[in-house]
Amino acid sequence: EPLAITGELIYRVPSLSVPDEKTDTTPESVAAYESARLLIERVRLQRPDFAVTPQNSAAIASICRRLDGIALALELAAPRLRTLSVEELSRRLDRRFELLTEGSRTALPRHRTLRALIDWSFDLLTDAEKTMLRRLSVFAGGWTLEAAEHAFGVDQPDRSSVLKLLTSLADKNLLVVETHDSATRYGMLETVRDYARERLHETSEQAQVQDGHLAYFMAVAEEADREKS
């Protein structure tokens, strides 16, 4: 998070590079990515005979993508491959917070499970930031400022508070911000979104948030239909 002091230079440290869905999943092409190299190295500490083959390279690429290239998540995934194949682990990552729980005994408590890592960050947020992060989990594939303002701004004193919260969450690296062709889109790593969605399920506002999301996109679709006709 920036310190907001004079002369500060902000550089976002990205996750490790991951194979995208268009990448040829040969053993050679997958091993060109940082996330795959880390996973393979850590798995071989658990299983010295582990080999990347044409049969399992696609599953290795999938694990790296689904874990967003997060180094700690990959470290936590490696021990599971003592008792699961890479294909089985890839299929089970919908339950990543239950699976990735075997951190080093010498690590800090917040680095021993994937949930503990994100709990630590979440607990540092203000109540308003926590609420916004939970609500944003209903978006799949990212969103714009306008979408967040219309879907969730109804209970804010003014819509400028939505931008303020998005900025704060982005500063804390819980959101990803990308600008293309003068348009800005926000998104979350899949791991963060899964966590925020779990938190939303625990609240009484889940139905209200989903209704706001639906109402916004229905309005967008209706406007597009009017412009076509």
Side-chain angles (χ1 to χ4, degrees):
E1 180 180 359
L3 298 173
I5 59 176
T6 302
E8 181 178 16
L9 174 65
I10 299 173
Y11 176 78
R12 180 178 176 271
V13 180
S15 299
L16 301 177
S17 60
V18 300
D20 62 35
E21 293 184 357
K22 298 178 182 178
T23 301
D24 291 333
T25 52
T26 63
E28 296 76 19
S29 64
V30 169
Y33 292 88
E34 297 163 335
S35 56
R37 291 200 299 272
L38 176 63
L39 179 62
I40 293 164
E41 176 185 307
R42 294 299 187 262
V43 174
R44 284 176 175 162
L45 294 176
Q46 311 283 333
R47 292 174 50 190
D49 62 335
F50 180 78
V52 183
T53 67
Q55 290 72 39
N56 67 17
S57 56
I60 291 172
S62 174
I63 291 170
C64 294
R65 277 196 304 272
R66 299 201 62 193
L67 295 180
D68 304 297
I70 299 172
L72 179 63
L74 295 165
E75 297 261 8
L76 293 170
R80 289 299 180 196
L81 294 175
R82 292 197 305 267
T83 51
L84 292 172
S85 70
V86 287
E87 293 85 358
E88 288 169 331
L89 177 60
S90 177
R91 291 194 295 268
R92 290 171 178 266
L93 284 180
D94 286 339
R95 296 164 41 217
R96 70 191 69 199
F97 295 110
E98 298 172 30
L99 279 172
L100 305 185
T101 57
E102 290 193 23
S104 169
R105 294 180 182 179
T106 61
L108 292 170
R110 67 175 181 268
H111 290 165
R112 292 177 188 170
T113 72
L114 185 60
R115 185 183 298 279
L117 174 68
I118 306 183
D119 276 341
W120 181 74
S121 294
F122 186 80
D123 290 342
L124 292 174
L125 301 178
T126 66
D127 288 343
E129 290 168 341
K130 291 176 181 177
T131 297
M132 181 57 72
L133 188 70
R134 289 194 300 262
R135 292 176 176 182
L136 292 170
S137 69
V138 300
F139 287 108
W143 64 91
T144 62
L145 173 60
E146 179 185 13
E149 287 175 334
H150 284 81
F152 313 133
V154 291
D155 61 348
Q156 302 290 340
D158 58 78
R159 285 183 175 170
S160 64
S161 62
V162 175
L163 176 59
K164 181 178 178 181
L165 289 168
L166 291 179
T167 302
S168 181
L169 291 171
D171 284 345
K172 294 173 173 63
N173 281 316
L174 290 168
L175 300 185
V176 178
V177 183
E178 296 180 344
T179 301
H180 297 291
D181 299 326
S182 302
T184 301
R185 287 188 65 81
Y186 303 84
M188 291 185 198
L189 298 180
E190 183 180 345
T191 300
V192 175
R193 181 171 178 253
D194 277 358
Y195 177 90
R197 193 165 48 214
E198 281 190 11
R199 288 286 190 156
L200 179 63
H201 290 338
E202 296 168 359
T203 71
S204 59
E205 67 170 2
Q206 180 179 351
Q208 176 188 350
V209 170
Q210 291 173 331
D211 288 347
H213 176 270
L214 175 62
Y216 170 73
F217 283 103
M218 285 291 292
V220 169
E222 289 167 359
E223 178 64 24
D225 189 56
R226 283 194 294 271
E227 289 179 0
K228 286 172 63 177
S229 58

